[in-house]
């Protein structure tokens, strides 16, 4: 069947910034946008989705000591996430291997259909951050945020009557499921190892730790968190230029714990822990040319995801691989 989708946007915005004193600065803005999406095709009625959003923002920065790089930042923002055109088209995409004339599909292999009545997702948030710059170079910082989300967009899988099918089928479609709240704290540190240990090698260290919590109000707990939001993450990296050589080596380790998300009263999604190890070596050929050899995902593991509805669980295992890259980088 043939189908078509078109999106038109109209936006008006204004912004300005002020330096109020050597210690105070501010930035403010506002944006209004209208989004019109038309969908048409054989097998379903033409539809139009019209939505408009107003997104103001305000940022203020304060330096406790004039002339210092240390700064405290605060912001109040409103942002939105508009639906993708494919999420608005009410065209049924039948699951592979489960034709309408055959057996009923499984929860883990649903048909897919858009929702022409889908609204943009709106988030109102407040943030407070502090950045402290070290005398020897480097920075430590902390950022705390809270966001309230209206018209949260989430894909919901349910049994639905489908034209051409004798019995109801599992269909996944995006829906506005109500409000949600999320808050978190993010800690970051960048410094040279000699800052903590003067006799140490001149290793540049970078790290960040994030902790998150969220709740979807329209879904009963526990685990009624935002989709694809783990409870936190840990990232640790380092770079070291070997003295008297044109060689620099470095690496990065990222770890995300596994988590369970309750999507509805009787639906859950489970994600296994993730750990990614990257290493690289860089050889400086000249001031404008260098060769980089890198290996990403040096410790490949199986990644497990599971979807559960009632007593039925569908599990997917996907294998990851080491990715090698040899690059010549030049500045012209």
């Amino acid at each position: 069947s043939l189908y078509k989708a078109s999106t038109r946007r109209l936006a008006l915005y204004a912004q300005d910034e002020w330096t109020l004193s050597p210690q105070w600065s501010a930035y403010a803005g506002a944006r209004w946008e209208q989004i019109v999406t038309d969908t048409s095709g054989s097998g379903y009625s033409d539809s139009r989705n019209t939505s408009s959003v107003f997104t103001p923002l305000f940022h203020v920065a304060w330096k406790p000591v004039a002339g210092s790089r240390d700064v405290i930042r605060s912001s109040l923002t409103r942002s939105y996430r508009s639906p993708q055109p494919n999420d608005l088209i009410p065209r049924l995409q039948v699951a592979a291997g489960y034709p309408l004339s055959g057996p009923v599909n499984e929860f883990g292999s649903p048909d897919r259909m858009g929702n022409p009545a889908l609204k943009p997702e709106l988030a109102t948030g407040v943030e407070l951050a502090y950045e402290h710059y070290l005398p020897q170079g480097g920075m430590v910082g902390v950022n705390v945020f809270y966001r309230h989300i209206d018209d949260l967009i989430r894909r919901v899988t349910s049994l639905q009557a489908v034209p051409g099918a004798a019995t109801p089928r599992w269909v996944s479609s995006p829906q506005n499921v109500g409000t949600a709240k999320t808050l978190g704290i993010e800690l970051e540190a960048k410094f040279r190892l000699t800052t903590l240990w003067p006799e140490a090698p001149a290793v540049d260290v970078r790290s960040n730790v994030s902790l998150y919590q969220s709740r979807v109000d329209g879904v009963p707990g526990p685990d009624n968190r935002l989709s694809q939001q783990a409870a936190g993450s840990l990232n640790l990296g380092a770079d070291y230029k070997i003295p008297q050589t044109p060689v620099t080596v470095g690496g990065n380790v990222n770890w995300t714990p596994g988590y369970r998300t309750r999507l509805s009263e009787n639906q859950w999604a489970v994600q296994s822990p993730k750990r990614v190890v990257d290493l690289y070596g860089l050889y400086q050929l000249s001031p404008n040319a260098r060769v980089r050899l890198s290996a990403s995902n040096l410790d490949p593991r199986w990644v497990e995801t599971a979807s559960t509805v009632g007593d039925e669980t569908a599990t997917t295992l996907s294998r990851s691989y080491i990715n090698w890259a040899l690059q010549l980088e030049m500045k012209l």
Side-chain angles (χ1 to χ4, degrees):
S1 60
L2 298 176
Y3 64 95
K4 181 177 66 174
S6 63
T7 299
R8 299 190 302 277
R9 296 174 181 263
L10 173 64
L12 301 173
Y13 65 92
Q15 60 188 38
D16 200 1
E17 56 184 299
W18 307 271
T19 300
L20 305 175
S21 74
Q23 293 177 259
W24 287 93
S25 61
Y27 171 89
R31 179 184 179 93
W32 176 86
E33 183 167 352
Q34 185 184 67
I35 307 166
V36 180
T37 302
D38 294 300
T39 60
S40 61
S42 57
Y44 57 86
S45 303
D46 295 353
S47 62
R48 166 171 289 188
N49 182 299
T50 302
S51 59
S52 60
V53 291
F54 177 70
T55 52
L57 58 89
F58 180 72
H59 300 277
V60 63
W62 175 55
K63 294 183 177 182
V65 179
S68 171
R69 296 178 63 194
D70 291 3
V71 63
I72 296 175
R73 306 180 191 276
S74 179
S75 62
L76 177 64
T77 61
R78 196 181 193 204
S79 59
Y80 73 95
R81 181 168 70 95
S82 60
Q84 298 297 315
N86 284 342
D87 290 337
L88 298 171
I89 300 175
R91 171 181 177 264
L92 182 70
Q93 302 177 49
V94 178
Y98 295 92
L100 295 179
S101 58
V104 176
N105 60 339
E106 300 176 354
F107 171 80
S109 301
D111 301 337
R112 297 176 69 87
M113 179 184 290
N115 176 8
L118 205 60
K119 301 176 183 177
E121 185 179 286
L122 298 174
T124 302
V126 59
E127 294 189 32
L128 182 64
Y130 172 61
E131 299 173 3
H132 171 63
Y133 290 85
L134 306 175
Q136 300 89 348
M139 181 271 290
V140 292
V142 57
N143 182 65
V144 180
F145 71 87
Y146 170 83
R147 293 187 183 94
H148 177 89
I149 303 172
D150 292 304
D151 293 322
L152 177 72
I153 297 175
R154 172 172 281 179
R155 276 201 164 267
V156 178
T157 301
S158 60
L159 279 172
Q160 299 182 25
V162 174
T167 57
R169 293 171 61 90
W170 290 108
V171 178
S172 172
S173 62
Q175 298 180 20
N176 297 111
V177 296
T179 61
K181 303 175 182 67
T182 179
L183 56 89
I185 181 171
E186 300 167 337
L187 307 173
E188 182 181 11
K190 299 178 182 179
F191 58 91
R192 181 155 287 188
L193 195 57
T194 52
T195 303
L196 302 178
W197 180 23
E199 292 77 21
V203 177
D204 292 320
V205 179
R206 57 188 183 278
S207 62
N208 60 68
V209 178
S210 302
L211 300 174
Y212 304 114
Q213 189 177 51
S214 59
R215 185 183 72 195
V216 177
D217 295 331
V219 177
D223 302 320
N224 53 341
R225 67 177 77 244
L226 291 176
S227 300
Q228 300 180 348
Q229 186 191 67
S233 66
L234 172 65
N235 195 75
L236 179 63
D239 304 288
Y240 177 57
K241 187 180 186 307
I242 302 175
Q244 285 81 50
T245 73
V247 177
T248 301
V249 294
N252 196 82
V253 178
N254 178 267
W255 177 74
T256 304
Y259 56 95
R260 185 172 185 257
T261 304
R262 191 168 190 173
L263 302 175
S264 65
E265 186 172 353
N266 66 337
Q267 296 179 28
W268 291 263
V270 179
Q271 176 68 58
S272 65
K274 293 182 180 180
R275 187 177 71 188
V276 179
V277 180
D278 301 331
L279 293 176
Y280 79 90
L282 186 148
Y283 189 92
Q284 194 79 36
L285 297 173
S286 70
N288 296 321
R290 58 189 183 180
V291 176
R292 181 190 297 268
L293 174 64
S294 61
S296 59
N297 195 31
L298 202 59
D299 182 26
R301 298 187 170 201
W302 289 90
V303 177
E304 178 180 346
T305 58
S307 299
T308 300
V309 56
D311 298 327
E312 182 181 349
T313 300
T315 302
T316 302
L317 285 173
S318 57
R319 185 177 180 182
S320 59
Y321 298 89
I322 300 176
N323 298 312
W324 294 90
L326 181 62
Q327 299 170 297
L328 173 62
E329 302 173 356
M330 301 183 66
K331 294 181 180 179
L332 302 178

